């Protein structure tokens, strides 16, 4: 499934609203990219521009070698097109029984989709999205409405993605999937922190625990819960 | 128009004038041209056009079935532009101030708060609708007139859920019934003039034209 030459180029893009402005510049290659930033810093707008669904005020976004793309919104309701869970799974061209088994929320195919809680709907939605292959997968706040256990399960599924570009927009501070590259929005500018694990030392939005580990010379090699645990238990470099 | 009290009165008088006669509707349109920023008073043009198209379709059906479709279209279009103007001029807190001023600390506060929340929700509907359309297309499903039904279902469901969550938050924060606010309104001369003309338009709308003009027979 690996496609050579797949990349997303953001060339001096700007966007603004009455309360914020954003300038972005960078190249996103194959792998999992994490974009962190405060609430209201323009992450969702950047995701829309990356997907070509919103024109930037200045600059260009170029999607090279990308034919299959998906943008997952923060609110999973927006993606619902079926009445029942079975219909919803089929709208993603997936086998309903397989999806229901994977999500494990104790429902049947005839259960109305909108009778699910937001957390359950989010799990169903992410399971459907992660079961498909995309050259570019943009996930806007994928961890919202999920508890820690579910976040970890979704992270494991995300980490299994072996092809394409995955960009995660989040202000999450606890649970992360395997990440190859970190970006962050600071003072209205998209900043490239670099590849993992070196990126962690330049990451201003790093969770307090990660910052503590870095300050004590135990920089995690991975942002996954296992990676953090390994760094915390590390006794020498 | 800065005074929400005069804005509300104008909206009421002008809507009534437009509804009762075609003369009133035409005068309302002239009032709109004179006292509002005209096209800038329409915040969501696509929604405005969609409503207008719906009125055109209904008026065509009425005309084909022997009713006065043109009169219906003119009157409804006038009401639509007044509604759009009121919506575009509304600011956060207007309804709360207006409700409390009009009906007091209990009923008025509560009515104003509900109206304010409804307006906030209306603001987000357009964004929600756009996102649903994007998500449907990204799924590989074509967006057509039939897509409006599932999109509407999601929007209504989401609105009910948000209302439920808001009610729970208010209850948790100790809200029971009513509240205190000291509304302050700024009334300009142009507001008063616009209000007077709105009242005159309503009177003219009720009077037959032949009472005013000597028509040659």
């Amino acid at each position: 499934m690996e496609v050579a030459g797949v990349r997303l180029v953001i060339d001096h893009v700007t966007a603004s609203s009455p309360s914020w402005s954003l300038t972005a510049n960078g190249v996103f290659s194959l792998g999992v990219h994490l974009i962190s930033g405060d609430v209201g810093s323009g992450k969702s707008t950047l995701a829309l521009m990356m997907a070509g669904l919103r024109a930037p005020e200045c600059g260009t976004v170029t999607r090279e070698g990308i034919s299959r793309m998906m943008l997952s919104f923060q609110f999973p309701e927006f993606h619902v097109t079926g009445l029942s869970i079975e219909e919803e799974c089929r709208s993603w061209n997936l086998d309903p029984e397989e999806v229901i088994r994977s999500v494990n929320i104790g429902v049947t195919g005839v259960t109305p989709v909108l009778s699910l809680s937001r957390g359950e709907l989010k799990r169903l939605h992410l399971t459907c999205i992660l079961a498909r292959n995309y050259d570019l997968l943009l996930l806007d706040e994928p961890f919202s409405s999920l508890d820690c256990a579910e976040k970890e399960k979704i992270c494991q599924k995300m980490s299994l993605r072996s092809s394409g570009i995955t960009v995660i927009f989040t202000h999450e501070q606890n649970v992360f999937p395997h990440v190859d590259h970190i970006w962050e929005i600071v003072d209205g500018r998209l900043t490239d922190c670099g590849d993992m694990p070196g990126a962690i030392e330049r990451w201003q939005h790093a969770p307090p625990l990660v910052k503590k580990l870095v300050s004590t010379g135990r920089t995690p090699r991975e942002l996954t819960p296992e990676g953090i645990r390994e760094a915390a238990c590390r006794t020498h470099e | 128009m800065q005074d929400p009290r005069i804005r509300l009165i104008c909206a009421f008088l002008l809507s009534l004038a437009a509804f009762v006669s075609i003369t009133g509707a035409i005068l309302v349109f002239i009032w709109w041209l004179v006292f509002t920023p005209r096209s800038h008073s329409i915040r969501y043009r696509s929604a405005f056009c969609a409503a207008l198209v719906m009125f055109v379709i209904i008026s065509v059906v009425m005309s084909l079935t022997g009713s006065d479709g043109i009169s219906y279209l003119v009157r409804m279009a006038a009401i639509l532009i007044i509604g759009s103007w009121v919506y575009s001029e509304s600011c956060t807190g207007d309804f709360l101030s207006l409700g409390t001023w009009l009906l007091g600390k209990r009923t008025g506060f509560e009515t104003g708060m509900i109206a304010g929340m409804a307006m906030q929700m209306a603001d987000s509907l357009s964004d929600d609708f756009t996102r649903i359309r994007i998500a449907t297309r990204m799924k590989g499903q074509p967006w057509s007139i039939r897509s409006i039904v599932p999109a509407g279902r999601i929007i209504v469901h989401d609105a009910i859920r948000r209302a439920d969550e808001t009610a729970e938050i208010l209850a948790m924060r100790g809200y029971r019934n009513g509240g205190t606010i000291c509304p302050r309104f700024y009334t300009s001369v142009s507001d008063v003039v616009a209000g007077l003309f709105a009242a005159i338009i309503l009177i003219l709308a009720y009077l037959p034209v032949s009472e005013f003009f000597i028509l040659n027979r």
Side-chain angles (χ1 to χ4, degrees), chain A residues 208-228:
Chain A
L209 175 61
V210 173
K211 281 184 177 169
K212 181 79 181 164
L213 290 171
V214 171
S215 68
T216 53
R218 293 174 289 173
T219 303
R221 296 184 188 98
E222 278 276 359
L223 273 181
T224 56
E226 296 79 24
I228 302 289

Side-chain angles (χ1 to χ4, degrees), chain A residues 44 48 53 69-71 73 77-83 88 91-92 114 116-118, chain B residues 127-136 138-139 141 150 153-154 157-158 161-162 165:
Chain A
S44 297
L48 285 169
L53 298 167
M69 179 178 65
M70 175 54 69
L71 165 61
F73 289 119
E77 295 90 340
F78 294 157
H79 293 270
V80 173
T81 53
L83 282 171
E88 184 58 20
S91 74
W92 291 97
L114 294 179
L116 300 180
S117 69
R118 180 166 277 166
Chain B
D127 287 343
D128 288 357
F129 192 77
T130 305
R131 290 188 178 213
I132 291 168
R133 199 174 59 194
I134 290 169
T136 306
M138 293 202 88
K139 251 182 176 181
Q141 297 183 2
R153 186 167 52 91
I154 294 162
H157 175 268
D158 212 35
R161 175 140 64 186
R162 280 186 212 176
E165 286 168 358

